[in-house]
Amino acid sequence: FLTEFYLLISVGGVLGGLFNALVAPLVFSSLIEYPLMMVLACVLLAMRRGDGLLGDAGGRRALVAVAIAIVLTVVLYSESVTLRLDFSFLARVLDLRGERVSTWLDPAERLLNKLLLYGPPLAVAWLLRRRPPLLGTVLASVLLISGFVDARNNDQIRQSRSFFGVLRISRDRDPKGYTELRHGTTLHGRQSLEPARRAEPLSYYHRQGPIGQLFAELDRRPGGLHMAVVGLGTGTLAAYARPGDRVTFYEIDRLVRDIAFDPAYFTYATDARNRAVTVRLELGDARIRMEVVKRDRPEERYDVILVDAFSSDAIPVHLLTREALQLYFDLLGPRGIVALHISNRYLRLEPVVAALAEDGRYARLVEHGGTGDIRGGVEASWAILARRPEDFGELASDPRWTMAHLDPEPAVPAWTDDFHNLLSVFKW
């Protein structure tokens, strides 16, 4: 039956892929199909074996275990009872000091506390592995309860899903809090609920951070500003546009567009239009849409192109290659600047940018900016590229901007459309 086995595996893969890519985004608002299949597998296995809930002497004990698992899930996941290890207390008692000790203890403390929080119900589920119906019941309960608790704890007001992933909008109950947009676990922008701060750019884009300093330099130039932004997010960068400026957003996800331009959630784009800023949206892959603009509107040039597409767990590599960078500079004006948001939890993108700048002989600077005293600010790293150092203006002599972290590394050559190596820049 080997041929039949591989045929069924192939057909199942095709059907599963079609369901995940085409059906699930329309039917579900979360990535529920994988855990749902875990539960369904337990049900199907039980049907094949003919298992019952109380089929032997241990059935009653197994049902008790199910009840215990559900109670543990409710109590622990809702944080009604908190189990926590505090290694800082241990370090003080044993007089353990030093950066190396902290570097080792902090990750271990986080890991163990996660195990204490999420582990007990799953440990009970593992004990029920020989009883698929009960195992499926526990898994389904854990999924439902954890989803409900997460939505409640995060003040979630909307969750939607598109082909590109799950978007969650949360809004604090505190009137001095924020409305936030997250794609999976990645923050894509926030806006203050305080009327006086509604127009203030926050998260990675606050005015004391690298991007605020860049716009302060651009504002010193005469005439109106025409900017292109790859990655719409919440539309925060529109907050920097002055009356008469033009902003062109390049966004691939229709759902992100619907959220960013809906004033019930975020008002950055709407407010910009109300103060006489021209806001345009190019919907589709940025590389493809930019090629169209280059072909159909050859006179269009940008003063700055901000590429804000690399903060997620999976980055669009084709927007950080030699060919992509050449396209950006083809669309820049004479003193134009390309700004790359390179904050990422898992990848060191500095050597990639350095290699591209060296490859194209572009001037480059980088700043790893903190939050300053900005409430709602997030630390961010931005790299800027230009044809000549003098195009940076006063930023070229600003001590916060440097080339020190943008030196090429022999192990990281310039990425192209034909070659890239994520492992070489992974934060192990």
Side-chain angles (χ1 to χ4, degrees), residues 311-369:
S311 57
S312 298
D313 300 343
I315 67 170
V317 171
H318 72 294
L319 298 180
L320 195 59
T321 64
R322 175 189 299 156
E323 294 81 1
L325 197 61
Q326 183 60 54
L327 176 60
Y328 302 151
F329 274 92
D330 288 344
L331 290 171
L332 278 183
R335 298 179 58 201
I337 293 175
V338 173
L340 304 170
H341 185 195
I342 57 175
S343 304
N344 194 282
R345 289 175 290 183
Y346 305 110
L347 302 174
R348 297 182 307 113
L349 296 179
E350 291 88 345
V352 179
V353 176
L356 290 171
E358 193 82 2
D359 181 67
R361 299 188 179 182
Y362 299 116
R364 72 268 194 186
L365 293 172
V366 67
E367 185 190 346
H368 302 286

Side-chain angles (χ1 to χ4, degrees), residues 217 220 390 392-399:
E217 170 61 33
R220 284 191 281 268
E390 52 266 29
F392 295 135
E394 295 183 10
L395 294 180
S397 57
D398 190 323

Side-chain angles (χ1 to χ4, degrees), residues 192-211:
S192 177
L193 295 175
E194 299 178 70
R197 300 186 69 202
R198 191 175 84 162
E200 182 181 351
L202 299 175
S203 64
Y204 311 104
Y205 319 102
H206 60 91
R207 293 189 183 276
Q208 292 185 15
I211 203 65

Side-chain angles (χ1 to χ4, degrees), residues 21 56 87 114 160 198 223-224 244 263 281 291 346 375 378 408 426:
D56 55 31
F87 282 0
K114 284 184 178 180
S160 301
R198 191 175 84 162
L281 178 72
E291 291 285 2
Y346 305 110
R375 287 191 299 114
V378 175
F426 192 81

Side-chain angles (χ1 to χ4, degrees), residues 1 5 9 16 21 26 28 49 56 67 75 82 89-90 166 181 188 254 261 336 343 357 383 392 417 425:
F1 299 101
F5 169 78
I9 288 291
L26 299 176
F28 303 127
R49 291 169 46 177
D56 55 31
V75 171
T82 302
F89 171 76
L90 179 64
V166 177
L181 174 65
H188 276 283
R254 293 177 182 271
F261 284 90
S343 304
F392 295 135
D417 287 347
V425 294

